[in-house]
């Protein structure tokens, strides 16, 4: 999912069969596209492109009309079977063009539709668009595409729906010196006069329009030839040297995926391309995968481990799509999770196989699983399978539900069926439907066949219903029994009976001293389980189920001890912290259970568990950010008591011999100590920075960079700001550039905040990066207030520059509103948007308001508790 956005409505989808008839209503079914012959010529002076597309159609019904998708394209002529269209009618809302002809086309015949047109190489990162970069002191352009989900219609008139697969023959006309790329390899290059050429590509297999891609520009590449077909990483001149890691990883990953799913990658080449202006993180175009620079290029020396893991994840995610999405495609966007959930699951699966020492499945619990639970705990969440029709609705479901709840569901099923049977079933599913389209039920069918289990019955609820449950556990020591009861979980803690009707099939995963019982599924509201004794037990073994568990205060204390005694896995420990944290926010439990738990786990040595502990403590700080400074100081003292000693003893040198996880642990502890105002660490951080700007480039380790820059922003001198800005403009690496940009937002001085906000639209910051300084501003009070003020004051300009089709608008709204913590601010935000169109971000806004309100009631509810606990413990 591209950016921190998230959406759609909370209408439950109900019976998806009923919905199928109404879900692709946009294009009529009277003709079916078979083959496109497309020629395009971008012009870098006028920022226009000339195009012609000939589409072979099968006529399904007698009719004299043809409707195609077309958006912001100037159509010059339309001909079909020798007739010129009499009229062309555009429907802007439906994004279609209707061509009417004199005579009817006869059912059963094949006709050719020929359209000549001019389009715009726009700067909105959608359709066929332009991206700029600097080379030898000059601004240069390249032309590239981003079609998913519904922008192929901006590049050429097309039947732009995922089920309308066809064969594509692409020809690109360009200057001789430029590189032209598309999904397929080059068939021939024809000279056109003295300076132009036509690059003709081989025919694609049957594929969907949203996966078409073409690029024209001055591109360089590095290559890997270890795999059956050539693998390249392309970038603009000078950047290609950082592409080797991705090229090598691509070769290994394709071979891994071929073997696991027992299906060959069907294309003759695979290119990865870094693009300077890119709306998402990356895009899986078949054979021509495009990326944001930071998500593809990797400079081992000057980048940190987060970046390495992120690049690995993104590359493996997009390569997984070559099977999940490209070879087998959802039949409509309602099935988006089949693409994104699978690509997410498979990227973790592949990463785990390649880097077992990273232990990524442990990290999954604090990463994807928490993202899924966080979003799905909002009233304004949506079911995994949700009816969507319009472009602005489709755009909003590229969120943590499709990606993270989707992948968590797959993880849950894989644990239930066993990984080998799961992978086998998935392989059968891919083979059965290759080059075709599927619904979720097709997946369940293949998994049922492979496992002999009734997968549909269990899984339907999870994809068709919104939300997930909290399991409340009560104990009866006299009988050694526990009772479990499920209810819908909401962060706001105010679930209404009509929102709590779903019974989720819950895999209880009961861990006791004698082992784990994976067989118990709670298929009812309540159940009672007989245990041998109540000394030790925990539900949701290894946190593989999608739910939260609420225990009695006593049990939390016992689980705290069990963690220290080694009875719990890393996933269990991280999951308990996450559950305690979430249940505190929503009021299902007091925040004291969380504080006691983490207070007892000071001796913890695992990175993932620490990461979750520190995240949850930060969540408290963020909710109390507008409260009395005393309590924030006490929370800092509490944090120092957790981390200072440990970070002082581990130190902040990074040795070759440190494992990946030791290095990550060092950096997360260091960052927390800095944030919590540990004087020793602050002094060292500021010294490192001062040496760094004097020219000692080794003095800021890339793994500590974000924390050190943050400390500098808190020091907050004008000269510090200038230095960070200089780094942004002239960085050592791409990840340093992004860190510097985020840091600009962390300066708290009012004038510096104004300067940062001023850079958003004056050309200093690319549109793709606008959310990054806003993330920095969101970390402090003055920044939260100022950003919201800026949004209100500049709303018209913001909507002009960030059209609602672009997910960036949603991100700006979410980031600029979700930092608040009071009911009065929630009202103010509501009032501001009451008179505005919220098209394209209505869900993000609703989710943000939910978040603000949950913090507001948390603060009211637990303020006294936390205050006395901190006092009692001398913080
Ligand atoms: N298919 C998406 C790209 C996309 C996102 C297209 C939103 C249209 C709208 C791609 O596979 C993707 O999911 N990219 C992620 C990276 C991934 C590692 C989660 C992204 O863009 O962040
Ligand atoms: Zn994806």
């Amino acid at each position: 999912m591209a950016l921190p956005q998230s959406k759609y409505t909370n209408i439950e989808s109900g019976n998806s069969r009923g919905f199928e008839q109404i879900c692709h209503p946009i294009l009529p079914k009277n003709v079916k596209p078979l083959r496109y012959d497309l020629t395009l010529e971008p012009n870098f002076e006028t920022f226009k492109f000339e195009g012609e597309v000939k589409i072979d159609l099968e006529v399904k019904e007698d009719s004299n009309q043809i409707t195609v998708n077309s958006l912001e394209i100037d159509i010059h002529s339309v001909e079909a079977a020798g007739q010129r269209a009499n009229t062309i009618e555009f429907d802007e809302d439906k994004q279609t063009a209707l061509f009417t002809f004199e005579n009817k086309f006869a059912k059963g015949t094949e006709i050719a539709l020929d359209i000549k047109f001019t389009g715009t190489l726009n700067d909105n990162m959608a359709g066929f668009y332009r991206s700029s970069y600097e080379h030898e002191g000059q601004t240069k352009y390249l032309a590239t595409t981003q079609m998913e989900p519904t922008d192929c219609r901006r590049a050429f008139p097309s039947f732009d729906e995922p089920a309308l697969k066809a064969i594509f023959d692409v020809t690109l006309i360009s200057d001789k010196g430029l590189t032209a790329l598309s999904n397929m390899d080059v068939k021939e290059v024809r000279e056109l006069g003295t300076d132009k050429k036509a690059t003709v590509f081989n025919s694609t297999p049957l594929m969907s329009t949203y996966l078409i891609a073409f690029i024209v520009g001055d591109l360089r590449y590095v290559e890997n030839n270890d795999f059956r077909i050539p693998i390249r990483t392309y970038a603009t001149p000078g950047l290609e040297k950082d592409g080797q890691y991705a090229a090598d990883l691509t070769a290994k990953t394709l071979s891994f995926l071929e073997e696991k799913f027992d299906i060959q990658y069907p294309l003759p080449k695979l290119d990865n391309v870094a693009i300077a202006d890119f709306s998402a993180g990356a895009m899986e175009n078949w054979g021509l995968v495009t990326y944001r620079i930071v998500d593809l290029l990797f400079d081992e020396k000057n980048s940190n481990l987060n970046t390495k893991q992120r690049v690995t994840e993104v590359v493996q995610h997009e390569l997984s799509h070559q099977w999940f999405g490209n070879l087998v495609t959802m039949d409509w966007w309602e099935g988006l999770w089949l693409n994104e959930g699978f690509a997410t699951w498979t990227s973790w699966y592949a990463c785990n196989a390649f880097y077992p020492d990273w232990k990524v499945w442990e990290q999954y619990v604090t990463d994807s699983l928490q993202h899924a639970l966080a979003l799905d705990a909002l009233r304004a969440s949506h079911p995994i399978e949700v009816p969507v029709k319009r472009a602005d609705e489709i755009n909003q479901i590229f969120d943590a539900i499709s990606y993270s709840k989707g992948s968590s569901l797959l993880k849950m099923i894989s644990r239930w069926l066993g990984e080998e049977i799961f992978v086998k079933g998935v392989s059968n599913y891919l083979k059965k439907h290759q080059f075709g389209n599927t619904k979720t039920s097709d997946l369940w069918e293949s998994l049922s066949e492979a496992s002999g289990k009734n997968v549909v019955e269990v899984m339907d609820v999870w994809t068709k219903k919104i939300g997930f449950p909290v399991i409340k556990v009560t104990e009866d020591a006299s009988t050694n029994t526990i009772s479990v009861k499920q209810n819908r979980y909401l962060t706001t803690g105010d679930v209404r009976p009509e929102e709590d009707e779903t019974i989720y099939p819950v895999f209880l995963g009961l861990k006791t001293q004698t082992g784990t019982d994976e067989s118990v599924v709670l298929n009812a509201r309540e159940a009672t389980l007989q245990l041998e004794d109540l000394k030790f037990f925990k539900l949701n073994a290894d946190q593989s189920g999608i739910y939260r568990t609420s225990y009695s205060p006593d049990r939390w204390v016992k689980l705290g001890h069990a963690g220290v005694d080694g009875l719990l896995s890393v996933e269990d420990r991280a999951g308990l912290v996450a559950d305690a944290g979430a249940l505190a926010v929503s009021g299902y439990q007091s925040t004291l259970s969380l504080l006691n738990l983490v207070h007892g786990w000071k001796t913890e040595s695992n990175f993932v568990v620490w990461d979750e502990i520190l995240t949850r403590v930060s969540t408290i700080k963020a909710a109390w950010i507008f409260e009395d400074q005393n309590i924030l100081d006490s929370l800092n003292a509490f944090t120092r008591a957790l981390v200072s000693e440990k970070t002082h003893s581990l130190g902040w040198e990074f040795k070759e011999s440190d494992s990946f996880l030791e290095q990550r642990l060092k950096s997360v502890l260091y960052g927390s100590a800095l944030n919590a105002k540990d004087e020793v660490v602050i002094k060292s951080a500021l010294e490192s920075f001062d040496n760094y700007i004097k020219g000692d480039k080794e003095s800021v380790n890339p793994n500590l960079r974000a924390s050190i820059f943050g400390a500098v922003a808190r020091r907050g001198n004008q000269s510090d700001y200038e230095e960070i800005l200089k780094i942004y403009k002239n960085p050592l690496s791409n990840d340093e550039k992004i860190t510097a940009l985020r840091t600009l937002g962390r300066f708290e001085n009012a004038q510096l905040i104004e300067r940062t906000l001023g850079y958003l639209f004056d050309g200093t910051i690319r549109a793709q990066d606008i959310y990054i300084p806003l993330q920095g501003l969101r970390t402090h009070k003055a920044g939260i207030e100022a950003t919201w003020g800026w949004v209100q004051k500049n709303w018209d300009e913001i909507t002009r520059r960030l059209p609602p089709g672009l997910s960036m608008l949603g991100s700006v709204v979410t980031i600029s509103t979700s930092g608040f913590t009071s009911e009065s601010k929630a009202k103010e935000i509501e009032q501001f948007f009451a008179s505005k169109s919220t098209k394209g971000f209505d869900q993000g806004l609703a989710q943000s308001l939910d978040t603000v309100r949950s913090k507001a009631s948390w603060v009211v509810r637990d303020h006294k508790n936390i205050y006395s606990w901190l006092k009692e413990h001398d913080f």
Side-chain angles (χ1 to χ4, degrees):
M1 95 208 90
L3 302 166
Q5 56 136 12
S6 38
K7 342 250 140 151
Y8 209 65
T9 68
N10 64 347
I11 353 155
E12 303 212 4
S13 65
N15 180 344
S16 82
R17 300 253 164 247
F19 170 69
E20 270 148 31
Q21 282 109 49
I22 56 153
C23 81
H24 339 127
I26 300 177
L27 293 179
K29 301 260 178 284
N30 62 325
V31 293
K32 182 181 161 210
L34 302 172
R35 194 174 188 115
Y36 293 68
D37 184 345
L38 173 69
T39 303
L40 290 168
E41 179 175 2
N43 182 323
F44 293 105
E45 260 98 63
T46 59
F47 296 136
K48 297 270 175 200
F49 57 90
E50 299 304 318
E52 176 169 8
V53 63
K54 296 177 195 150
I55 313 176
D56 294 342
L57 302 172
E58 184 185 329
V59 180
K60 295 285 208 185
E61 286 162 30
D62 289 349
S63 109
N64 67 335
Q65 294 195 318
I66 298 174
T67 306
V68 298
N69 289 113
S70 184
L71 185 61
E72 288 169 19
I73 286 180
D74 192 6
I75 294 181
H76 307 309
S77 71
V78 180
E79 249 183 67
Q83 301 184 58
R84 273 186 84 97
N86 282 343
T87 58
I88 305 177
E89 291 162 65
F90 291 98
D91 183 329
E92 247 180 67
D93 189 55
K94 291 205 170 96
Q95 310 185 333
T96 55
L98 166 65
F99 310 136
T100 306
F101 299 85
E102 192 64 40
N103 303 315
K104 282 191 174 174
F105 309 110
K107 176 176 170 175
T109 57
E110 232 184 87
I111 57 171
L113 173 69
D114 187 337
I115 308 171
K116 296 195 177 71
F117 57 93
T118 303
T120 305
L121 274 185
N122 68 69
D123 58 358
N124 283 331
M125 301 179 279
F128 197 18
Y129 71 93
R130 63 182 195 263
S131 168
S132 70
Y133 61 96
E134 298 294 311
H135 184 49
E136 293 169 347
Q138 282 187 325
T139 302
K140 298 273 178 88
Y141 293 91
L142 60 76
T144 183
T145 52
Q146 171 60 41
M147 311 302 202
E148 193 184 20
T150 55
D151 286 318
C152 184
R153 60 195 66 170
R154 288 177 188 274
F156 57 98
S158 48
F159 296 83
D160 194 12
E161 295 182 358
L164 300 176
K165 288 194 176 186
I167 292 167
F168 293 81
D169 293 302
V170 177
T171 299
L172 295 173
I173 298 175
S174 68
D175 284 357
K176 257 189 196 150
L178 298 180
T179 298
L181 298 172
S182 187
N183 305 83
M184 296 301 290
D185 54 346
V186 175
K187 183 175 168 190
E188 58 167 324
V189 180
R190 283 200 305 265
E191 300 220 349
L192 301 176
T194 47
D195 345 299
K196 296 236 160 191
K197 63 177 178 183
T199 308
V200 184
F201 298 92
N202 279 312
S203 308
T204 69
L206 266 184
M207 64 182 285
S208 305
T209 47
Y210 79 90
L211 293 165
I212 289 295
F214 25 85
I215 305 178
V216 176
D218 181 8
L219 293 168
R220 312 292 157 90
Y221 65 88
V222 293
E223 201 166 18
N224 178 298
N225 284 305
D226 297 344
F227 187 57
R228 192 179 64 250
I229 52 159
I231 309 287
R232 291 175 175 176
T233 304
Y234 280 90
T236 53
L239 299 184
E240 75 278 10
K241 63 181 188 329
D242 291 337
Q244 196 63 48
Y245 175 73
D248 297 346
L249 179 67
T250 299
K252 285 191 286 185
T253 304
L254 286 180
S255 129
F256 173 85
L257 295 171
E258 282 194 344
E259 189 204 312
K260 289 295 169 194
F261 296 109
D262 190 30
I263 302 176
Q264 277 208 351
Y265 171 74
L267 302 195
K269 60 99 177 168
L270 191 139
D271 297 322
N272 295 308
V273 190
I275 306 286
D277 300 277
F278 200 81
S279 70
M283 177 62 211
E284 69 265 24
N285 314 301
W286 218 353
L288 183 60
V289 186
T290 44
Y291 299 78
R292 228 172 233 252
I293 290 175
V294 280
D295 285 333
L296 177 65
L297 302 181
F298 180 64
D299 165 6
E300 190 92 47
K301 184 163 180 290
N302 295 307
S303 298
N304 59 35
L305 297 173
N306 284 330
T307 305
K308 184 166 190 178
Q309 196 176 339
R310 168 75 184 171
V311 169
T312 308
E313 178 187 357
V314 179
V315 170
Q316 294 192 316
H317 176 107
E318 304 313 333
L319 296 178
S320 305
H321 275 310
Q322 308 301 306
W323 284 261
F324 300 101
N326 302 9
L327 185 64
V328 178
T329 314
M330 73 257 143
D331 74 346
W332 182 249
W333 297 106
E334 165 201 14
L336 178 65
W337 86 281
L338 291 170
N339 273 13
E340 299 303 347
F342 258 116
T344 303
W345 183 85
T346 310
S347 73
W348 291 80
Y349 176 64
C351 191
N352 185 52
F354 284 42
Y355 295 101
D357 56 312
W358 290 7
K359 304 227 167 88
V360 289
W361 283 125
E362 293 179 357
Q363 290 180 53
Y364 187 91
V365 169
T366 60
D367 188 292
S368 284
L369 178 63
Q370 297 312 316
H371 298 161
L373 295 174
L375 178 52
D376 210 20
L378 301 179
R379 198 163 254 123
S381 178
H382 64 87
I384 287 182
E385 292 186 89
V386 60
V388 282
K389 200 163 102 180
R390 305 165 47 88
D392 58 283
E393 296 169 343
I394 296 167
N395 260 305
Q396 294 194 63
I397 61 168
F398 286 81
D399 65 2
I401 297 303
S402 303
Y403 285 71
S404 302
K405 192 180 184 188
S407 61
S408 299
L409 184 58
L410 294 173
K411 188 166 174 277
M412 199 162 90
I413 303 168
S414 150
R415 179 139 176 155
W416 177 40
L417 306 181
E419 193 173 273
E420 220 167 288
I421 293 173
F422 174 72
V423 171
K424 178 79 187 135
V426 169
S427 163
N428 291 344
Y429 159 84
L430 289 171
K431 284 179 186 161
K432 186 166 168 192
H433 301 286
Q434 53 185 323
F435 304 105
N437 294 82
T438 55
K439 298 184 200 323
T440 299
S441 54
D442 296 316
L443 173 66
W444 300 154
E445 219 164 85
S446 294
L447 290 175
S448 294
E449 270 166 33
S451 66
K453 289 187 173 152
N454 190 342
V455 179
V456 187
E457 198 178 78
V458 180
M459 291 306 155
D460 245 15
V461 174
W462 284 108
T463 58
K464 298 207 165 114
K465 300 290 181 183
I466 191 173
F468 64 88
V470 51
I471 306 289
K472 190 169 171 51
V473 184
T474 42
E475 305 178 17
D476 184 345
S478 65
T479 54
N480 284 334
T481 55
I482 59 171
S483 298
V484 289
K485 179 173 185 204
Q486 60 164 299
N487 287 99
R488 167 95 180 275
Y489 175 82
L490 287 180
T491 294
T492 36
D494 56 353
V495 69
R496 297 186 286 253
E498 67 273 19
E499 294 169 317
D500 189 18
E501 283 167 359
T502 303
I503 301 293
Y504 302 88
V506 179
F507 294 86
L508 288 176
L510 179 63
K511 224 178 223 194
T512 59
Q513 234 141 1
T514 51
T516 302
D517 184 350
E518 304 265 12
S519 69
V520 204
V521 183
L522 175 65
N523 259 321
R525 177 73 67 188
E526 287 178 75
T528 302
L529 309 177
Q530 181 69 54
L531 273 58
E532 267 173 40
D533 59 56
L534 298 186
K535 274 188 211 130
F536 163 71
F537 73 88
K538 178 193 174 278
L539 293 190
N540 204 1
D542 301 330
Q543 228 65 15
S544 42
I546 306 174
Y547 58 96
R548 304 235 180 246
T549 313
S550 170
Y551 302 96
S552 66
D554 284 355
R555 182 53 58 183
W556 278 107
V557 175
K558 290 182 187 149
L559 285 165
H561 297 315
V564 177
D565 296 343
L567 292 169
L568 298 171
S569 65
V570 170
E571 291 93 327
D572 286 326
R573 303 204 296 281
L576 282 171
V577 174
D579 280 4
L583 294 167
V585 181
S586 52
Y588 287 81
Q589 283 178 191
S590 157
T591 310
L592 303 192
S593 288
L594 171 70
L595 293 173
N596 286 323
L597 183 72
V598 305
H599 191 45
W601 281 0
K602 272 204 301 206
T603 52
E604 177 63 53
S605 58
N606 181 275
F607 158 66
V608 175
V609 182
W610 267 116
D611 198 24
E612 192 60 31
I613 290 175
L614 295 166
T615 301
R616 295 294 166 178
V617 176
S618 304
T619 307
I620 306 178
K621 284 208 242 169
W624 263 260
I625 193 168
F626 288 101
E627 305 305 310
D628 180 0
Q629 188 59 39
N630 282 333
I631 201 159
L632 292 167
D633 291 341
S634 303
L635 283 166
N636 280 338
F638 171 54
T639 311
R640 290 197 300 274
L642 290 175
V643 300
S644 282
E645 205 182 300
K646 202 162 179 75
T647 193
H648 294 171
S649 75
L650 281 177
W652 36 89
E653 300 287 321
F654 288 77
K655 297 189 221 83
E656 288 278 345
S657 58
D658 291 346
S659 72
F660 180 86
L661 292 171
E662 278 162 354
Q663 300 199 21
R664 297 285 299 265
L665 178 61
K666 276 185 190 173
S667 72
V668 75
L669 292 174
Y670 181 92
S672 293
L674 259 185
N675 271 334
K677 310 210 166 111
D678 178 309
E679 292 299 337
V680 179
V681 182
I682 291 181
K683 185 160 173 283
S684 100
L686 294 176
E687 261 170 33
S688 315
F689 184 77
D690 294 340
N691 291 333
Y692 184 74
I693 56 173
K694 277 186 209 133
D696 175 8
K697 295 295 175 208
E698 308 276 304
S699 67
V700 169
N701 184 291
N703 290 311
L704 304 179
R705 183 191 289 135
S707 308
I708 293 176
F709 285 12
V712 170
R714 231 169 292 119
R715 179 167 70 186
N717 299 332
Q718 170 95 16
S719 60
D720 288 327
Y721 190 91
E722 306 302 344
E723 291 299 340
I724 297 287
L725 187 61
K726 242 192 258 168
I727 295 172
Y728 167 65
K729 291 187 170 164
N730 194 7
L732 278 184
S733 67
N734 297 310
D735 60 347
E736 187 179 62
K737 184 177 177 74
I738 300 306
T739 302
L741 183 56
R742 192 170 289 118
T743 307
L744 289 178
R746 296 182 65 165
F747 283 80
E748 298 178 27
N749 169 292
Q751 265 168 351
L752 296 178
I753 291 177
E754 280 313 304
R755 254 178 91 182
T756 303
L757 290 169
Y759 291 142
L760 294 175
F761 286 150
D762 77 349
T764 308
I765 297 170
R766 286 179 192 265
Q768 66 160 15
D769 293 332
I770 281 175
Y771 71 99
I772 296 170
L774 296 183
Q775 288 173 333
L777 285 158
R778 225 201 82 128
T779 61
H780 53 94
K781 264 195 286 198
I784 296 169
E785 300 272 17
T787 306
W788 173 232
W790 173 82
V791 165
Q792 294 173 87
K793 203 167 130 214
N794 297 287
W795 183 248
D796 291 341
E797 184 176 5
I798 293 172
T799 49
R800 206 166 357 97
R801 286 178 182 261
L802 310 174
L806 219 66
S807 60
M808 189 63 71
L809 183 62
S811 304
V812 168
V813 170
T814 311
I815 299 174
S816 64
T817 54
S818 60
F820 288 109
T821 62
S822 67
E823 177 58 33
S824 60
K825 276 292 173 186
K827 288 223 172 73
E828 182 184 315
I829 295 162
E830 256 169 357
Q831 252 159 30
F832 176 77
F833 286 109
S835 59
K836 315 263 181 303
S837 160
T838 57
K839 196 170 140 190
F841 65 86
D842 48 340
Q843 284 316 111
L845 177 61
Q847 289 157 5
S848 201
L849 288 166
D850 250 16
T851 306
V852 174
R853 295 204 154 103
S854 71
K855 285 188 278 185
S857 34
W858 185 21
V859 172
V860 171
R861 192 176 57 241
D862 267 348
H863 189 78
K864 277 212 187 95
N865 281 338
I866 295 183
Y867 186 80
S868 8
W869 189 93
L870 290 168
K871 238 179 148 174
E872 239 168 68
H873 290 80
D874 287 333
F875 296 120

